[in-house]
Amino acid sequence: MAAQNGNNQAQDREELQSALHRLGLPPTYPQVILYRQSQCPGKGLGLKAARNIPRGTPILAEAELFWIAGTPDPPPVQASKPEFQALSCPVVPHTARARFAANNFEMGKSGRRMKRGIFVTASRFNHSCVPNAHFTWNAASKLLTIHAIVDITQGQEIFLNYHPKDYLKPAIERQQELRTSYSFVCGCPACQPNTDSKRASEARRQWMAGLNSIIGLNQNTHTQGQREQLLANIQFFGRQLQEERLFYPQLADVYGKEISWYRREIQLVINGAGRTRLLYKEEALKVATAKLDLDVVCSGHDSSEVRDTLRTIRELRQV
Ligand SMILES: C[S@@+](CC[C@H](N)C(=O)[O-])C[C@H]1O[C@@H](n2cnc3c(N)ncnc32)[C@H](O)[C@@H]1O
């Protein structure tokens, strides 16, 4: 058992080193400050790149000022902290509840309740529906991390997506949600009225919304032809996400679906009903490797997302 664990760890280490090498990323987090706080017209304060930030670079790893679970109201002792009081509050009156609502990040669950925390620097990132950075709560390091998910050039503003689960909604609905929760009108390239970028974005998101309900269907009931169509749909969905620059967590989920598709086919082969097992194994490993790279880029090499994908790769190699 101990020898097996040791083998697994060595295999994971090697896999991860290959990923870092492919991505040209260092194995440790840099200790330089890559952002500067600036006034951003129409958005209040924001954070801009203080130098060129290559894709996959960790921009921030921050501990919380405080967290709460199961209540929208921070207790007075926390609400009175000057760092909290200094954060923006989009609604009047400036209650602690409203300020907390506009600035908190999810930190995973405490029992059955979601923990939400305040992070003094992370709270200064503004929103875009096509963000160039991604935030993850890293349960192992107990830090909120923010990574560049595309190359960001010096002086560009760094954006997070406040509502990543809303990506299939049309701009008008996303804007409504943002107005309700944060009191602003989003002017990102996917929302700016009468622009080619918005039209293209709306078309892509509409395609994806149509496909979304069918790429999650149970494959067991499908004929081979239907299963192959399902794979084609999953891959098309992934390409739309890449064109839309929606990498995380959306593209990672689609890679997960593609891997499940191959795993299911491999199972059918083993049961005598399918085609070339080795071919599917190779394809599954290619997608899992792409997912590993994406996990490293967007959530960091020490994230639980990376650990899970390393386990998937190990399992696939044993098929
Ligand atoms: C978490 S804070 C971000 C930092 C904030 N701009 C500040 O000055 O501290 C969220 C608030 O920032 C503003 N904001 C964020 N993204 C924006 C955007 N894309 N356009 C306009 N305002 C935005 C809204 O007022 C929102 O309620």
Side-chain angles (χ1 to χ4, degrees), residues 44-60:
L45 290 174
L47 297 177
K48 292 188 176 168
R51 56 178 75 191
N52 290 340
I53 307 179
R55 171 178 184 255
T57 306
I59 296 172
L60 182 70

Side-chain angles (χ1 to χ4, degrees), residues 200-256:
S201 167
E202 291 283 89
R204 277 192 290 267
R205 288 174 197 245
Q206 208 177 344
W207 259 108
M208 289 191 278
L211 278 181
N212 191 45
S213 54
I214 53 176
I215 61 171
L217 288 184
N218 182 353
Q219 297 169 29
N220 291 342
T221 58
H222 288 184
T223 64
Q224 185 167 334
Q226 287 170 325
R227 293 201 309 275
E228 281 177 8
Q229 185 57 49
L230 177 64
L231 178 64
N233 285 338
I234 294 172
Q235 290 173 335
F236 179 76
F237 197 102
R239 285 195 297 277
Q240 296 296 301
L241 284 173
Q242 293 193 54
E243 275 184 34
E244 189 64 10
R245 284 189 19 199
L246 287 174
F247 300 113
Y248 221 79
Q250 303 92 346
L251 182 59
D253 284 350
V254 170
Y255 282 157

Side-chain angles (χ1 to χ4, degrees), residues 42-45 88 90 102-103 123-127 162 182 184-185:
K43 304 186 205 119
L45 290 174
S88 83
N103 289 285
S123 290
R124 296 299 184 186
F125 288 98
N126 288 318
H127 163 93
Y162 291 177
Y182 295 95
F184 71 89
V185 177

Side-chain angles (χ1 to χ4, degrees), residues 255-268:
Y255 282 157
K257 284 196 170 88
E258 206 176 332
I259 295 166
S260 300
W261 188 95
Y262 285 116
R263 282 184 139 168
R264 176 70 199 143
E265 290 300 310
I266 290 167
Q267 200 52 47
L268 285 175

Side-chain angles (χ1 to χ4, degrees), residues 13 18 46 50 65 83 97 112 118-119 143 147 161 163 174 184 199 201-202 207 223 236 262-263 268 274 284 288 306:
R13 245 193 327 271
S18 305
L65 179 66
E83 299 95 320
R97 180 187 287 204
R112 289 167 56 194
I118 291 294
F119 298 81
L143 297 171
H147 289 80
N161 186 350
H163 286 167
R174 294 197 308 275
F184 71 89
R199 276 187 284 276
S201 167
E202 291 283 89
W207 259 108
T223 64
F236 179 76
Y262 285 116
R263 282 184 139 168
L268 285 175
V306 164

